[in-house]
Short mmCIF file of all heavy atoms in Angstrom, two decimals:
data_model
loop_
_atom_site.label_atom_id
_atom_site.label_comp_id
_atom_site.label_asym_id
_atom_site.label_seq_id
_atom_site.Cartn_x
_atom_site.Cartn_y
_atom_site.Cartn_z
N PRO D 414 -3.27 -10.90 -18.40
CA PRO D 414 -2.63 -11.93 -17.56
C PRO D 414 -2.85 -11.67 -16.06
O PRO D 414 -3.09 -12.61 -15.30
CB PRO D 414 -1.14 -11.81 -17.91
CG PRO D 414 -1.12 -11.16 -19.25
CD PRO D 414 -2.30 -10.25 -19.29
N PHE D 415 -2.81 -10.40 -15.65
CA PHE D 415 -2.99 -10.07 -14.24
C PHE D 415 -4.44 -10.35 -13.80
O PHE D 415 -4.68 -10.95 -12.75
CB PHE D 415 -2.63 -8.61 -13.97
CG PHE D 415 -2.55 -8.27 -12.52
CD1 PHE D 415 -1.45 -8.65 -11.76
CD2 PHE D 415 -3.59 -7.59 -11.89
CE1 PHE D 415 -1.39 -8.35 -10.40
CE2 PHE D 415 -3.53 -7.28 -10.53
CZ PHE D 415 -2.42 -7.67 -9.79
N PHE D 416 -5.39 -9.94 -14.63
CA PHE D 416 -6.81 -10.21 -14.33
C PHE D 416 -7.06 -11.71 -14.21
O PHE D 416 -7.82 -12.17 -13.37
CB PHE D 416 -7.71 -9.59 -15.43
CG PHE D 416 -8.20 -8.20 -15.10
CD1 PHE D 416 -7.29 -7.18 -14.85
CD2 PHE D 416 -9.55 -7.92 -15.02
CE1 PHE D 416 -7.74 -5.90 -14.53
CE2 PHE D 416 -10.01 -6.64 -14.70
CZ PHE D 416 -9.11 -5.64 -14.46
N LYS D 417 -6.39 -12.49 -15.10
CA LYS D 417 -6.60 -13.94 -15.08
C LYS D 417 -6.08 -14.57 -13.79
O LYS D 417 -6.70 -15.47 -13.24
CB LYS D 417 -5.91 -14.58 -16.30
CG LYS D 417 -6.71 -14.40 -17.59
CD LYS D 417 -5.97 -15.01 -18.76
CE LYS D 417 -6.72 -14.77 -20.05
NZ LYS D 417 -5.94 -15.14 -21.24
N VAL D 418 -4.91 -14.10 -13.32
CA VAL D 418 -4.34 -14.63 -12.07
C VAL D 418 -5.31 -14.39 -10.91
O VAL D 418 -5.57 -15.28 -10.10
CB VAL D 418 -2.97 -13.97 -11.77
CG1 VAL D 418 -2.50 -14.32 -10.37
CG2 VAL D 418 -1.93 -14.40 -12.78
N VAL D 419 -5.87 -13.19 -10.85
CA VAL D 419 -6.77 -12.84 -9.74
C VAL D 419 -8.05 -13.68 -9.80
O VAL D 419 -8.46 -14.28 -8.81
CB VAL D 419 -7.11 -11.33 -9.77
CG1 VAL D 419 -8.13 -10.98 -8.68
CG2 VAL D 419 -5.84 -10.49 -9.58
N THR D 420 -8.66 -13.75 -10.99
CA THR D 420 -9.95 -14.45 -11.09
C THR D 420 -9.78 -15.96 -10.96
O THR D 420 -10.68 -16.65 -10.49
CB THR D 420 -10.67 -14.10 -12.41
OG1 THR D 420 -9.76 -14.29 -13.49
CG2 THR D 420 -11.16 -12.67 -12.41
N ALA D 421 -8.60 -16.48 -11.35
CA ALA D 421 -8.35 -17.92 -11.22
C ALA D 421 -8.41 -18.36 -9.76
O ALA D 421 -8.66 -19.53 -9.47
CB ALA D 421 -7.00 -18.28 -11.82
N HIS D 422 -8.17 -17.43 -8.84
CA HIS D 422 -8.21 -17.76 -7.41
C HIS D 422 -9.54 -17.35 -6.78
O HIS D 422 -9.64 -17.22 -5.56
CB HIS D 422 -7.04 -17.10 -6.68
CG HIS D 422 -5.73 -17.76 -7.01
ND1 HIS D 422 -5.00 -17.43 -8.13
CD2 HIS D 422 -5.04 -18.74 -6.38
CE1 HIS D 422 -3.91 -18.18 -8.16
NE2 HIS D 422 -3.91 -18.98 -7.12
N GLY D 423 -10.54 -17.10 -7.61
CA GLY D 423 -11.88 -16.79 -7.10
C GLY D 423 -12.02 -15.40 -6.50
O GLY D 423 -12.95 -15.15 -5.73
N LYS D 424 -11.08 -14.50 -6.83
CA LYS D 424 -11.18 -13.14 -6.29
C LYS D 424 -11.63 -12.19 -7.40
O LYS D 424 -11.51 -12.50 -8.59
CB LYS D 424 -9.80 -12.66 -5.78
CG LYS D 424 -9.09 -13.62 -4.86
CD LYS D 424 -9.70 -13.67 -3.49
CE LYS D 424 -8.87 -14.59 -2.58
NZ LYS D 424 -9.57 -14.91 -1.34
N HIS D 425 -12.10 -11.02 -6.99
CA HIS D 425 -12.49 -9.99 -7.95
C HIS D 425 -11.40 -8.93 -8.04
O HIS D 425 -10.54 -8.84 -7.16
CB HIS D 425 -13.81 -9.35 -7.54
CG HIS D 425 -14.98 -10.23 -7.83
ND1 HIS D 425 -15.46 -10.39 -9.10
CD2 HIS D 425 -15.74 -11.01 -7.02
CE1 HIS D 425 -16.49 -11.23 -9.07
NE2 HIS D 425 -16.67 -11.63 -7.82
N ILE D 426 -11.46 -8.12 -9.10
CA ILE D 426 -10.45 -7.09 -9.28
C ILE D 426 -11.08 -5.78 -9.75
O ILE D 426 -12.05 -5.79 -10.51
CB ILE D 426 -9.33 -7.57 -10.24
CG1 ILE D 426 -8.32 -6.45 -10.52
CG2 ILE D 426 -9.88 -8.13 -11.54
CD1 ILE D 426 -7.00 -6.90 -11.07
N ILE D 427 -10.52 -4.67 -9.25
CA ILE D 427 -10.88 -3.33 -9.73
C ILE D 427 -9.58 -2.67 -10.17
O ILE D 427 -8.64 -2.58 -9.38
CB ILE D 427 -11.49 -2.45 -8.60
CG1 ILE D 427 -12.75 -3.10 -8.01
CG2 ILE D 427 -11.77 -1.04 -9.09
CD1 ILE D 427 -13.32 -2.36 -6.80
N ALA D 428 -9.50 -2.24 -11.43
CA ALA D 428 -8.29 -1.53 -11.88
C ALA D 428 -8.71 -0.27 -12.62
O ALA D 428 -9.79 -0.22 -13.23
CB ALA D 428 -7.45 -2.43 -12.79
N VAL D 429 -7.85 0.72 -12.57
CA VAL D 429 -8.11 1.96 -13.31
C VAL D 429 -8.05 1.63 -14.80
O VAL D 429 -7.20 0.85 -15.24
CB VAL D 429 -7.05 3.03 -12.94
CG1 VAL D 429 -7.16 4.25 -13.84
CG2 VAL D 429 -7.18 3.42 -11.47
N LEU D 430 -8.99 2.18 -15.57
CA LEU D 430 -9.03 1.92 -17.01
C LEU D 430 -8.42 3.09 -17.75
O LEU D 430 -8.84 4.24 -17.60
CB LEU D 430 -10.49 1.70 -17.45
CG LEU D 430 -10.73 1.44 -18.94
CD1 LEU D 430 -9.99 0.21 -19.43
CD2 LEU D 430 -12.22 1.29 -19.22
N LYS D 431 -7.37 2.80 -18.55
CA LYS D 431 -6.69 3.86 -19.30
C LYS D 431 -6.71 3.55 -20.79
O LYS D 431 -7.23 2.51 -21.22
CB LYS D 431 -5.26 3.99 -18.80
CG LYS D 431 -5.17 4.69 -17.45
CD LYS D 431 -3.74 4.93 -17.07
CE LYS D 431 -3.69 5.71 -15.75
NZ LYS D 431 -2.38 5.63 -15.15
N ASP D 432 -6.09 4.42 -21.56
CA ASP D 432 -6.09 4.31 -23.03
C ASP D 432 -5.60 2.97 -23.59
O ASP D 432 -5.96 2.59 -24.69
CB ASP D 432 -5.17 5.39 -23.63
CG ASP D 432 -5.85 6.73 -23.56
OD1 ASP D 432 -7.03 6.74 -23.20
OD2 ASP D 432 -5.19 7.74 -23.83
N GLU D 433 -4.75 2.27 -22.84
CA GLU D 433 -4.18 1.03 -23.35
C GLU D 433 -5.27 0.02 -23.74
O GLU D 433 -5.08 -0.80 -24.62
CB GLU D 433 -3.25 0.37 -22.33
CG GLU D 433 -1.91 1.09 -22.14
CD GLU D 433 -2.00 2.24 -21.17
OE1 GLU D 433 -3.03 2.37 -20.50
OE2 GLU D 433 -1.02 3.03 -21.10
N ARG D 434 -6.40 0.07 -23.04
CA ARG D 434 -7.53 -0.81 -23.37
C ARG D 434 -8.50 -0.01 -24.24
O ARG D 434 -9.64 0.20 -23.89
CB ARG D 434 -8.24 -1.31 -22.09
CG ARG D 434 -7.39 -2.05 -21.10
CD ARG D 434 -7.43 -3.54 -21.33
NE ARG D 434 -6.61 -3.91 -22.48
CZ ARG D 434 -5.31 -4.06 -22.44
NH1 ARG D 434 -4.64 -3.85 -21.35
NH2 ARG D 434 -4.64 -4.40 -23.53
N ARG D 435 -8.02 0.42 -25.42
CA ARG D 435 -8.74 1.39 -26.24
C ARG D 435 -10.15 0.91 -26.65
O ARG D 435 -11.11 1.65 -26.54
CB ARG D 435 -7.91 1.72 -27.49
CG ARG D 435 -8.07 3.16 -27.91
CD ARG D 435 -6.93 3.57 -28.81
NE ARG D 435 -5.71 3.85 -28.06
CZ ARG D 435 -4.48 3.66 -28.52
NH1 ARG D 435 -4.30 3.15 -29.70
NH2 ARG D 435 -3.43 3.99 -27.79
N GLU D 436 -10.22 -0.36 -27.07
CA GLU D 436 -11.50 -0.88 -27.56
C GLU D 436 -12.57 -0.88 -26.46
O GLU D 436 -13.70 -0.44 -26.67
CB GLU D 436 -11.29 -2.31 -28.06
CG GLU D 436 -12.10 -2.65 -29.29
CD GLU D 436 -11.62 -3.96 -29.86
OE1 GLU D 436 -10.43 -4.07 -30.24
OE2 GLU D 436 -12.44 -4.88 -29.90
N LEU D 437 -12.15 -1.34 -25.28
CA LEU D 437 -13.05 -1.41 -24.14
C LEU D 437 -13.50 0.00 -23.74
O LEU D 437 -14.68 0.27 -23.50
CB LEU D 437 -12.33 -2.11 -22.98
CG LEU D 437 -13.08 -2.30 -21.68
CD1 LEU D 437 -14.31 -3.16 -21.89
CD2 LEU D 437 -12.17 -2.94 -20.63
N LEU D 438 -12.53 0.91 -23.69
CA LEU D 438 -12.79 2.30 -23.31
C LEU D 438 -13.76 2.93 -24.30
O LEU D 438 -14.74 3.59 -23.92
CB LEU D 438 -11.45 3.06 -23.33
CG LEU D 438 -11.42 4.45 -22.72
CD1 LEU D 438 -11.64 4.37 -21.23
CD2 LEU D 438 -10.06 5.10 -22.99
N HIS D 439 -13.52 2.68 -25.58
CA HIS D 439 -14.34 3.23 -26.66
C HIS D 439 -15.78 2.72 -26.56
O HIS D 439 -16.74 3.50 -26.62
CB HIS D 439 -13.70 2.84 -28.00
CG HIS D 439 -14.37 3.47 -29.17
ND1 HIS D 439 -15.27 2.79 -29.96
CD2 HIS D 439 -14.27 4.72 -29.67
CE1 HIS D 439 -15.70 3.61 -30.91
NE2 HIS D 439 -15.11 4.79 -30.76
N ASP D 440 -15.94 1.42 -26.37
CA ASP D 440 -17.28 0.83 -26.27
C ASP D 440 -18.03 1.37 -25.06
O ASP D 440 -19.21 1.71 -25.15
CB ASP D 440 -17.18 -0.70 -26.16
CG ASP D 440 -16.92 -1.32 -27.52
OD1 ASP D 440 -16.74 -0.56 -28.48
OD2 ASP D 440 -16.88 -2.57 -27.60
N ALA D 441 -17.32 1.44 -23.92
CA ALA D 441 -17.97 1.91 -22.69
C ALA D 441 -18.41 3.37 -22.87
O ALA D 441 -19.55 3.72 -22.53
CB ALA D 441 -17.02 1.77 -21.51
#
Side-chain angles (χ1 to χ4, degrees):
F415 190 77
F416 266 59
K417 282 179 183 170
V418 169
V419 176
T420 51
H422 288 84
K424 310 286 184 193
H425 284 284
I426 176 162
I427 301 174
V429 171
L430 178 60
K431 285 187 177 163
D432 285 352
E433 288 84 10
R434 302 268 76 81
R435 215 161 282 149
E436 217 169 300
L437 180 61
L438 191 67
H439 186 259
D440 282 4

